[in-house]
Amino acid sequence: MSKSSKASKRPNSRSTRPGGVIRIIGGDWRGRKLPVLELNGLRPTSDRVRETLFNWLQFEIAGKRCLDVFAGSGALGFEAKSRGAAEVLMFEKSEAVASQLRQNSQLLKAEAIKVQATDSLQYLAHKAEKTFDLVFIDPPFNQHLVQSTLDTLFENAWINHQTWLYIEQEKKLDWPTLPNGWQIYREKTTSQTRFALWHYVEPSQF
């Protein structure tokens, strides 16, 4: 949730302080509340949007490897693990926010959640050792990061044709360009955002 983290929507901002909470809305940890640092630009995915997204994904999470590219509050990654994901990798540029994510993982005793305090695009520029089954792309607004993130993911084998891609961005923006075969499975808009789940469809063969 930034060039590498949703928490750095304003690049020069370093102010962190105790903030609010996120609530896990489904799965093993349903109802659990986790603290979130208050940092300029941190924009947790809302309960309403998460509920819609995970309804779309209800049969696609159990046992899967998930990547949260711009973790921020960790709302998407924690929700995925609560609903049965095998492992979750979170990227977060802010050291303070990454530390909070690790504390929340320990609070949940979630050893399968790993947090990398890193610039997401720099990390993704390396070839992946394994592909991921589900990738969340929800960067900070007004930094035009979605297209470059997707390009880097495809170029360096972080995803394959079985991967589900979730994209959340400003409502006013057009959808990014994906390689041939990638299509929107479901999409919705809110007052400020548009979000969609993408998957790969094999071209018709005649």
Side-chain angles (χ1 to χ4, degrees), residues 45-64:
T45 299
S46 70
D47 287 9
R48 180 180 177 184
V49 170
R50 273 187 290 137
E51 184 172 10
T52 299
L53 169 61
F54 284 95
N55 283 341
W56 294 343
L57 285 168
Q58 60 181 319
F59 303 116
E60 303 295 338
I61 301 175
K64 300 301 176 63

Side-chain angles (χ1 to χ4, degrees), residues 1-142:
M1 308 177 176
S2 78
K3 179 175 184 182
S4 324
S5 112
K6 189 178 279 189
S8 54
K9 187 169 161 186
R10 298 181 184 175
N12 294 327
S13 174
R14 297 292 181 182
S15 174
T16 60
R17 52 195 179 277
V21 297
I22 56 168
R23 179 178 63 89
I24 298 175
I25 57 177
D28 294 342
W29 301 325
R30 182 178 181 180
R32 291 291 297 271
K33 294 181 179 180
L34 300 172
V36 177
L37 289 181
E38 184 176 329
L39 180 66
N40 288 336
L42 189 113
R43 180 180 49 82
T45 299
S46 70
D47 287 9
R48 180 180 177 184
V49 170
R50 273 187 290 137
E51 184 172 10
T52 299
L53 169 61
F54 284 95
N55 283 341
W56 294 343
L57 285 168
Q58 60 181 319
F59 303 116
E60 303 295 338
I61 301 175
K64 300 301 176 63
R65 302 183 72 241
C66 302
L67 173 62
D68 192 348
V69 181
F70 302 95
S73 69
L76 294 172
F78 287 122
E79 193 74 44
K81 186 67 187 76
S82 178
R83 293 168 184 257
E87 57 183 285
V88 176
L89 176 59
M90 298 181 180
F91 293 158
E92 172 51 52
K93 187 175 183 180
S94 165
E95 291 281 357
V97 176
S99 178
Q100 182 67 67
L101 291 171
R102 293 189 185 101
Q103 291 177 42
N104 288 344
S105 298
Q106 293 171 1
L107 183 66
L108 295 170
K109 300 180 179 179
E111 296 181 0
I113 295 178
K114 306 298 182 186
V115 180
Q116 289 279 357
T118 186
D119 182 295
S120 301
L121 290 181
Q122 290 182 8
Y123 199 101
L124 294 174
H126 299 88
K127 289 291 183 182
E129 296 180 1
K130 296 181 180 179
T131 58
F132 284 82
D133 305 302
L134 174 60
V135 177
F136 301 114
I137 304 169
D138 180 15
F141 284 177
N142 305 315

Side-chain angles (χ1 to χ4, degrees), residues 101-186:
L101 291 171
R102 293 189 185 101
Q103 291 177 42
N104 288 344
S105 298
Q106 293 171 1
L107 183 66
L108 295 170
K109 300 180 179 179
E111 296 181 0
I113 295 178
K114 306 298 182 186
V115 180
Q116 289 279 357
T118 186
D119 182 295
S120 301
L121 290 181
Q122 290 182 8
Y123 199 101
L124 294 174
H126 299 88
K127 289 291 183 182
E129 296 180 1
K130 296 181 180 179
T131 58
F132 284 82
D133 305 302
L134 174 60
V135 177
F136 301 114
I137 304 169
D138 180 15
F141 284 177
N142 305 315
Q143 293 190 29
H144 306 289
L145 293 171
V146 173
Q147 188 67 64
S148 57
T149 300
L150 283 167
D151 293 345
T152 306
L153 285 164
F154 280 106
E155 288 169 5
N156 294 294
W158 290 88
I159 59 182
N160 59 41
H161 285 171
Q162 283 71 52
T163 302
W164 290 90
L165 292 173
Y166 172 72
I167 300 172
E168 184 175 335
Q169 64 181 31
E170 296 96 317
K171 184 178 181 179
K172 64 184 179 182
L173 296 182
D174 293 332
W175 286 122
T177 301
L178 278 72
N180 290 338
W182 287 86
Q183 300 180 8
I184 291 177
Y185 172 71
R186 295 281 191 276

